[in-house]
């Protein structure tokens, strides 16, 4: 199994631009999670889906952030417009039961 | 709400030394998970514990599920430079939406060759 796949691995953009992060979960997993990691705040859960349906989006910082899961094998996290404080590493994870499997992350830098 | 407290926050040790870290909570957990995050990578599951008192090993790693179900310990024997990284404990978020995990803030391990 290829594991959780995320793209891009690195993204550098300018403030105000739209950023789209992509995730392909492990086949057969019915949960998908988006996390953000920074030095100051550690690992934060942003949103998660079960069977493609958003279950809890209380961690999404503000309306500039949105996430979709159009099918069982693909999810996106979009930031529009991006701001410098959004700079972080964004992880996608998937699970079938309790154990979550993480992707390699997308390192985002907003200038 | 549920919280997981990890200690120590960071450790600086010499290669070959044994390492011990723990994770505590004011709430009971039925599952404890230990993850390791290598620099520049995502967290990877090391050990999963499902029963109070359980002691599980994975190579040089040993983890225990505390008998009170409110704590867990991770030990690394004879540390090597590739043990460097951040170690997270995690457990199911019973107080929140089903399917979610709560993560501790991590123990950052540095190993001096």
């Amino acid at each position: 199994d290829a594991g959780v796949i995320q793209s891009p691995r690195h993204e550098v953009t300018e403030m105000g631009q739209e950023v789209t992060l992509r995730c392909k979960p492990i086949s057969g997993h019915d949960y998908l999670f988006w996390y953000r990691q920074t030095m100051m705040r550690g690992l934060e859960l942003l949103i998660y889906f079960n069977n493609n349906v958003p279950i809890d989006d209380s961690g999404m910082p503000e309306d500039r952030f949105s996430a979709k899961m159009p099918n069982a094998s693909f999810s996106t996290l979009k930031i529009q417009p991006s701001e410098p404080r959004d700079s972080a590493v964004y992880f996608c994870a998937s699970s079938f039961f309790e154990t979550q499997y993480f992707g390699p992350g997308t390192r985002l830098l907003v200038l | 709400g549920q919280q997981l407290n990890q200690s120590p926050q960071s450790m600086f040790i010499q290669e070959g030394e044994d390492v011990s870290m723990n994770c505590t909570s004011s709430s009971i957990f039925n599952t404890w998970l230990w993850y390791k995050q290598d620099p520049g990578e995502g967290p990877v599951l090391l050990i999963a514990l499902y029963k109070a008192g359980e002691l599980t090993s994975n190579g040089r790693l040993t983890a225990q599920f505390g008998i009170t179900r409110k704590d867990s310990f991770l030990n690394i024997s004879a540390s090597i430079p590739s043990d460097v990284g951040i170690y997270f404990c995690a457990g199911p978020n019973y107080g929140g939406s089903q399917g979610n995990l709560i993560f501790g803030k991590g123990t950052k391990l540095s190993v001096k060759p």
Side-chain angles (χ1 to χ4, degrees), chain A residues 9 31 33 35 37 39 41 43 45 48 55-56 91 95 97-105 107, chain B residues 31 33 35 37 40-43 45 48 50 86 88 92 94 96-101 103 105 108:
Chain A
R9 290 294 308 271
Y31 283 90
F33 305 81
Y35 290 88
Q37 187 178 40
M39 290 290 290
R41 301 172 72 94
L43 198 60
L45 177 67
Y48 76 99
I55 300 300
D56 187 348
F91 289 105
S95 72
F97 189 52
E98 289 172 330
T99 302
Q100 293 180 19
Y101 296 85
F102 284 76
R107 189 171 297 272
Chain B
T31 300
L33 305 172
Y35 285 83
Q37 184 177 18
E41 299 294 331
L45 181 70
Y50 299 107
I86 304 175
F88 294 99
Y94 300 118
S97 306
Q98 186 176 2
N100 191 7
L101 289 178
F103 284 84
K105 294 195 180 300
K108 186 175 182 179

Side-chain angles (χ1 to χ4, degrees), chain A residues 10-77:
Chain A
H10 302 272
E11 177 82 29
V12 181
T13 190
E14 291 187 342
M15 182 174 65
Q17 296 297 306
E18 177 179 296
V19 175
T20 299
L21 312 180
R22 297 173 176 79
C23 175
K24 177 179 169 55
I26 293 172
S27 177
H29 284 188
D30 55 353
Y31 283 90
L32 183 140
F33 305 81
W34 282 101
Y35 290 88
R36 177 173 68 177
Q37 187 178 40
T38 61
M39 290 290 290
M40 291 295 293
R41 301 172 72 94
L43 198 60
E44 301 175 278
L45 177 67
L46 300 177
I47 184 172
Y48 76 99
F49 298 81
N50 178 221
N51 292 321
N52 314 337
V53 176
I55 300 300
D56 187 348
D57 65 354
S58 59
M60 296 285 259
E62 46 198 278
D63 292 344
R64 298 184 297 107
F65 285 69
S66 63
K68 294 182 180 179
M69 192 166 186
N71 57 62
S73 59
F74 183 65
S75 176
T76 60
L77 177 68

Side-chain angles (χ1 to χ4, degrees), chain B:
Chain B
Q2 289 177 292
Q3 279 190 326
L4 293 178
N5 301 304
Q6 286 190 249
S7 65
Q9 283 187 316
S10 60
M11 303 179 74
F12 296 85
I13 63 169
Q14 196 77 29
E15 182 178 0
E17 289 183 357
D18 295 343
V19 174
S20 184
M21 60 188 78
N22 68 45
C23 188
T24 61
S25 172
S26 57
S27 308
I28 289 174
F29 282 82
N30 292 321
T31 300
W32 287 92
L33 305 172
W34 284 94
Y35 285 83
K36 182 197 177 192
Q37 184 177 18
D38 287 330
E41 299 294 331
V44 174
L45 181 70
L46 295 174
I47 291 178
L49 302 161
Y50 299 107
K51 186 177 177 182
E54 179 181 359
L55 187 71
T56 298
S57 294
N58 178 3
R60 293 179 296 105
L61 276 61
T62 301
Q64 183 161 24
F65 192 142
I67 197 71
T68 65
R69 295 196 285 159
K70 293 184 178 181
D71 57 9
S72 179
F73 302 87
L74 178 68
N75 296 316
I76 305 172
S77 62
S79 59
I80 58 178
S82 63
D83 291 332
V84 164
I86 304 175
Y87 292 80
F88 294 99
C89 62
N93 183 2
Y94 300 118
S97 306
Q98 186 176 2
N100 191 7
L101 289 178
I102 292 177
F103 284 84
K105 294 195 180 300
T107 293
K108 186 175 182 179
L109 179 64
S110 300
V111 180
K112 186 177 179 181

